[in-house]
Each structure stands twice: as C-alpha cells, then as structure tokens.
C-alpha cells in the first residue's frame, strides 16, 4: 500500500492513546520484542498492518482487519504494529503513512506492499493469493528465506558474514576511529553462549544495515580473547558487549535488544542522526521537480521574492531558514525546492500561491496530488509549526489544480549575485531644440 500524504489523510482527532487491538482478537499485536520471533523467523505467511491509534483510516479499518484475521485463522497470520509507539519498527520497513499493510512471504526481509481494498473480503483474497504463490514456489523447489539455519550460516536471506567487519588490534584505529562511518562493534568471546546466540542476528543485521545505509553505518566484531588490548582499552568485562563509535566522540554503550530488528532499528537511527541534510534545489526544469517530489512522501517548495526586491543577502537569509528546516526534518527524507516569484507561474497558480505575498511555501504530496500552504510567517518558528502540524495530521489540504504537476519552465540558475535593473536605451537629445519645445507647450 502506498504511503498516504504523510499522516494528512488521517483523522485529526486523537481518540485514544491505546492500541486498536486486544488480546481477545485474532489479530496478533506485534512489537520490537516479538516481531523477529513471530514474523521474521516464522515459516508462516503474515499480513501486517502498521497503524497509529489516532489515525481515522486506521480506526475505520479495525473491524475489517479483525474479520479478515478470524477468517484466515490457521491459514495466514494477521498482525498489527502500533507504529506510532514503535517508530523504529515502522522505520525499518519504510512506513511513512498510516495505515500501511505489508505481506511477509518467502523473503521476510523484503515484504511486499499490499495494494488492495480495505474490505475484509479483499484482504482475505489477497492473503490467499499470496499463500498460493508461496506454495507454488515451494513446489518448484524455491526455498524461502525463513529457514533460520541458513540465516545463521550466512545464507543470502540472513545476511553474509563478510558484512560483519573483523576488527583487530592492527586495523581498529584506522577503520573505526579514523573512518567516516558510524560503527556498532561487538566484543565477543568464542566460548560465550550469548555471543553464539547473537551471531546470526548480528550477521543478518549487518547485511541489512549495509544495504539500507549505503555503508555509512557498519557492524564489526572483535574477538576480545585474542585482541585483549582493545578489550582493555574500552573496559570490556562481559560478553557480548556492544559499543557505538562516532568519529571524534567517546564510544557509547549500546542499550538495545539483541534481535536483528532491534539492531537494525538502532543503526537506522544512527544513520539518520549523522546523515547530511537533503539538498535544497532551485527549480530549473521539469526533471528537478519530478525527481525531487515524485518518490517522496512530502516535497517542500518555497517561492521567494524577486531578486530585485531582496538582493543576494535577503535571498540567502530565506535559503538559510529553509536549510535549517531541512536539517531539522532530515529523518523524514522530504524533498526541498525553491524558485523565484514569477519564474514558475503555472506552479504558483496550481498551488494557489501569491495571495499571501512572498515569500510563500507549499508542502505537496505528488502521489496524492495534495498540498498545504504555509499560512504563518516564513521563519524558523513559522515553518517548524507548519511542518510539525502536517507530520501529526493537522492542517488543511487541497487538491493541486488540474490533478497533476504543472508545466515547469526551463530557467537559468541564480548566480548568487544581486539583481541588475534592465538597461534602458540612451536617448540622444542633441538634435532637439528645447526652446521650440517650450514654445509648443505654451
């Protein structure tokens, strides 16, 4: 299921802070503590709803989801995650709107998005179709990724042992302390039972973290019985001990759980904390708008005053405010764009920009063709409140005029300089008899 316009499609009324399902339902309540055991390590097919208790669409889905769970009991498992409470679990699976439904089939690490309707009948039919597909794959000899023994031995579904970097007295400083990546390092002893239990989880997490962060967060392992100097340097007194290393900072003890989902969630948080802010791009052509907006949950667009009205200093001040907001909301991975007033008139018209003057700002969801306008001040406080309200489901939205992104003009990039008034042609008055003009006026 595609992510909705942030949480804008959801109800604005917070009816309850509790979950939508109870132990008496056939819907299995899932959380970071049981998700890996119940879903990832299971041979069963799972349908999992990621929801927020305050979301109106989620509340409407509850009776249909319960009915589907009862109908599928013993055939397909149906679960639900309060992703508002367990944000790390939702983030691990790319959940950016509510409700999001995913099908965990043969490859539990790459669930499919559910694209069907919200009725119990549609949900049951999708589940049965997925089950048929899974059975056919097994008949044809294709193995699923839920075989836990393969995960611990470095099979493709459970990660590769090569993705866990072996750290030693010789390479630790060069790779960990002097490198640009953030590291999660396990100090272990080969004879330690808890370390042996952690090994398949650490291996599987290492591969997932490498893929999801592009190698910016790395998982390593130190045999503390061999490299006793390292163990002594960092005060290792028990096994396994996991520490987090950021360049230029003191190491931090890892306090999370020992399942791969716990480890991955912490790694994604570390990645987000240390990721650079998104680029702030000027809208120069149609490709920039599409590439920035079409694949993102939200795209923030500012229309700034003409350069002749503000000069370079004034424009840079507005851009600095936007860059600060992009940094503050970088975990959302939104797109950030700007244009000069008058440069993209069709875009301004489609978003209703102009009635409030410049600078103006709109946040759009290109998938839903919806947008919201900044009504407050174009300042850090005003923009923060505007985006905060959107992120929690408040604020009014409208449909983009025409139901599609407008035509974008190809323009030259701003050169960073003050504007220059157009040069007027000089008028040669040498041949004009001013005395005659005075007589004519009389």
């Amino acid at each position: 299921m595609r992510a909705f316009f942030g949480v804008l499609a959801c109800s604005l009324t917070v009816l309850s802070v509790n979950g939508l399902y109870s132990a008496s339902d056939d819907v299995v309540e899932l959380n970071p503590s049981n998700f890996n055991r119940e879903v990832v390590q299971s041979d069963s097919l799972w349908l999992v709803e990621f929801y927020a208790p305050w979301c109106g669409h989620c509340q409407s889905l509850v009776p249909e989801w319960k009915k589907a769970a009862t109908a599928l009991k013993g055939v397909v498992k149906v679960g639900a995650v309060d992703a508002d409470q367990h944000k790390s679990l939702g983030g691990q699976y790319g959940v950016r709107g509510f409700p999001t439904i995913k099908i965990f089939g043969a490859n539990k690490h790459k669930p499919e998005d559910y694209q069907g309707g919200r009725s119990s009948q549609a949900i049951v039919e999708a589940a049965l179709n997925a089950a048929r597909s899974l059975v056919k794959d097994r008949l044809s000899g294709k193995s699923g990724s839920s075989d836990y023994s393969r995960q611990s031995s470095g099979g493709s579904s459970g990660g590769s042992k090569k993705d866990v970097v072996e750290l030693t007295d010789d390479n630790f400083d060069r790779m960990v302390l002097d490198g640009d990546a953030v590291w999660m390092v396990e100090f272990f002893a080969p004879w330690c039972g808890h370390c042996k239990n952690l090994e398949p989880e650490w291996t599987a997490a290492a591969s997932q973290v490498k893929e999801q962060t592009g190698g910016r967060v790395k998982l390593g392992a130190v045999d503390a019985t061999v490299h006793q100097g390292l163990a002594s340097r960092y005060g290792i007194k028990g096994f396994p001990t996991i520490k987090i290393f950021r360049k230029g900072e003191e190491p931090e003890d890892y306090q999370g759980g020992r399942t791969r989902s716990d480890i991955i969630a912490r790694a994604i948080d570390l990645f987000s904390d240390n990721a650079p802010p998104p680029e702030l791009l000027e809208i120069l052509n149609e490709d920039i708008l599409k590439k920035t907006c079409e694949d993102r949950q939200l795209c923030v667009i500012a229309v700034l005053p003409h350069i002749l009205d503000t000069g370079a200093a004034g424009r840079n001040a507005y851009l600095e405010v936007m860059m600060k907001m992009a940094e503050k909301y970088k975990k959302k991975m939104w797109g950030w764009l700007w244009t000069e007033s008058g440069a993209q008139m069709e875009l301004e018209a489609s978003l209703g920009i102009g009635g409030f003057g410049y600078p103006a700002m709109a946040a759009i969801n290109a998938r839903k063709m919806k947008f919201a306008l900044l009504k407050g001040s174009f300042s850090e406080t005003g923009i923060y409140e505007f985006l905060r309200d959107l992120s929690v489901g408040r604020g009014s939205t409208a449909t983009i005029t025409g139901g599609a992104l407008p035509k974008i003009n190809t323009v030259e990039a701003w050169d960073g300089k003050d504007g220059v008034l157009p040069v007027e042609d000089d008028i040669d008055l040498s041949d004009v008899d001013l005395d005659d003009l005075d007589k004519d006026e009389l």
Side-chain angles (χ1 to χ4, degrees):
M1 176 178 290
R2 295 291 185 187
F4 293 100
F5 181 46
V7 292
L8 298 177
C10 293
S11 168
L12 307 183
T13 304
V14 180
L15 297 178
S16 171
V17 295
N18 299 316
L20 300 180
Y21 303 95
S22 67
S24 62
D25 299 322
D26 291 318
V27 177
V28 180
E29 273 280 13
L30 298 167
N31 55 58
S33 299
N34 68 4
F35 194 91
N36 186 64
R37 180 183 70 255
E38 294 288 344
V39 179
V40 178
Q41 296 180 18
S42 168
D43 288 326
S44 300
L45 179 76
W46 278 83
L47 262 67
V48 178
E49 175 204 2
F50 294 83
Y51 71 89
W54 45 259
C55 166
H57 290 287
C58 303
Q59 295 164 9
S60 299
L61 179 62
V62 168
E64 299 301 313
W65 197 245
K66 288 181 179 180
K67 190 183 296 184
T70 300
L72 292 167
K73 190 173 183 179
V75 180
V76 173
K77 294 193 174 182
V78 177
V81 175
D82 182 345
D84 189 50
Q85 180 181 356
H86 306 298
K87 293 181 175 64
S88 62
L89 193 53
Q92 180 180 335
Y93 292 102
V95 175
R96 297 179 181 176
F98 307 117
T100 290
I101 300 172
K102 290 184 177 287
I103 301 172
F104 290 79
N107 188 343
K108 294 295 199 301
H109 297 289
K110 292 185 178 179
E112 299 177 10
D113 290 329
Y114 171 76
Q115 304 284 5
R118 302 291 183 81
S119 68
S120 57
Q121 181 176 350
I123 295 165
V124 168
E125 287 177 357
L128 294 178
N129 287 336
R132 290 190 194 98
S133 178
L134 180 61
V135 171
K136 286 181 180 179
D137 285 346
R138 290 175 178 174
L139 280 173
S140 65
K142 296 180 182 178
S143 59
S145 64
S146 57
D147 185 347
Y148 193 65
S149 64
R150 287 182 65 227
Q151 294 173 1
S152 62
S153 62
S156 61
S157 64
S160 171
K161 287 187 176 181
K162 68 181 182 184
D163 292 328
V164 177
V165 181
E166 182 180 355
L167 297 169
T168 67
D169 288 320
D170 294 331
N171 69 10
F172 190 91
D173 287 7
R174 172 173 53 84
M175 299 189 74
V176 178
L177 302 185
D178 298 333
D180 292 325
V182 178
W183 285 81
M184 298 178 70
V185 179
E186 174 203 1
F187 293 83
F188 72 93
W191 44 259
C192 163
H194 291 297
C195 302
K196 292 176 182 178
N197 292 335
L198 177 62
E199 181 184 0
E201 303 300 304
W202 197 249
T203 299
S207 296
Q208 290 289 311
V209 169
K210 179 180 179 181
E211 178 181 344
Q212 293 186 39
T213 70
R216 294 182 182 177
V217 178
K218 297 178 182 292
L219 269 63
V222 175
D223 184 341
T225 63
V226 175
H227 306 288
Q228 297 179 11
L230 280 176
S232 175
R233 187 200 305 184
Y234 294 109
I236 307 302
K237 297 180 180 179
F239 306 113
T241 292
I242 300 171
K243 287 185 176 288
I244 296 167
F245 292 82
R246 299 181 180 90
K247 188 173 183 178
E249 299 182 18
E250 290 295 314
E252 167 192 341
D253 289 331
Y254 170 74
Q255 304 287 359
R258 301 292 175 87
T259 68
R260 71 197 67 185
S261 61
D262 293 324
I263 298 163
I264 292 169
R266 184 69 179 105
I268 296 301
D269 283 342
L270 291 169
F271 170 68
S272 299
D273 290 341
N274 291 274
E279 285 188 279
L280 174 56
L281 301 174
E282 184 179 3
I283 303 175
L284 303 176
N285 52 55
E286 190 170 320
D287 284 345
I288 290 177
L289 180 69
K290 286 186 175 180
K291 289 179 181 178
T292 305
C293 295
E294 285 188 345
D295 294 329
R296 287 183 168 88
Q297 173 201 2
L298 208 63
C299 193
V300 182
I301 300 176
V303 181
L304 303 181
H306 195 280
I307 190 64
L308 292 176
D309 295 329
T310 64
R315 174 166 292 181
N316 283 325
Y318 288 132
L319 294 176
E320 184 178 356
V321 169
M322 287 195 70
M323 287 188 285
K324 286 182 178 179
M325 291 299 100
E327 167 71 30
K328 186 177 290 290
Y329 284 97
K330 66 182 180 180
K331 290 185 180 182
K332 301 287 188 181
M333 295 194 293
W334 294 338
W336 294 80
L337 296 168
W338 71 274
T339 185
E340 180 179 79
S341 62
Q344 304 294 346
M345 292 301 295
E346 293 188 42
L347 176 63
E348 291 187 43
S350 68
L351 299 175
I353 287 177
F356 300 98
Y358 302 104
M361 176 177 285
I364 73 172
N365 182 316
R367 295 174 180 172
K368 296 303 227 180
M369 289 300 154
K370 297 281 189 180
F371 74 94
L373 284 177
L374 170 68
K375 301 293 179 63
S377 64
F378 196 100
S379 63
E380 290 184 45
T381 301
I383 296 173
Y384 173 76
E385 291 176 352
F386 168 59
L387 297 176
R388 181 199 59 195
D389 286 349
L390 293 184
S391 66
V392 297
R394 294 196 295 266
S396 59
T397 64
T399 301
I400 295 174
T401 302
L405 293 176
K407 177 184 175 182
I408 297 299
N409 299 321
T410 299
V411 298
E412 293 293 326
W414 177 46
D415 60 7
K417 300 177 181 178
D418 287 326
V420 178
L421 289 169
V423 178
E424 297 181 358
D425 294 334
D426 292 333
I427 301 175
D428 185 1
L429 299 177
S430 61
D431 294 332
V432 178
D433 189 335
L434 297 180
D435 291 337
D436 289 342
L437 290 175
D438 291 340
K439 292 175 183 178
D440 291 340
E441 290 178 5
L442 292 173

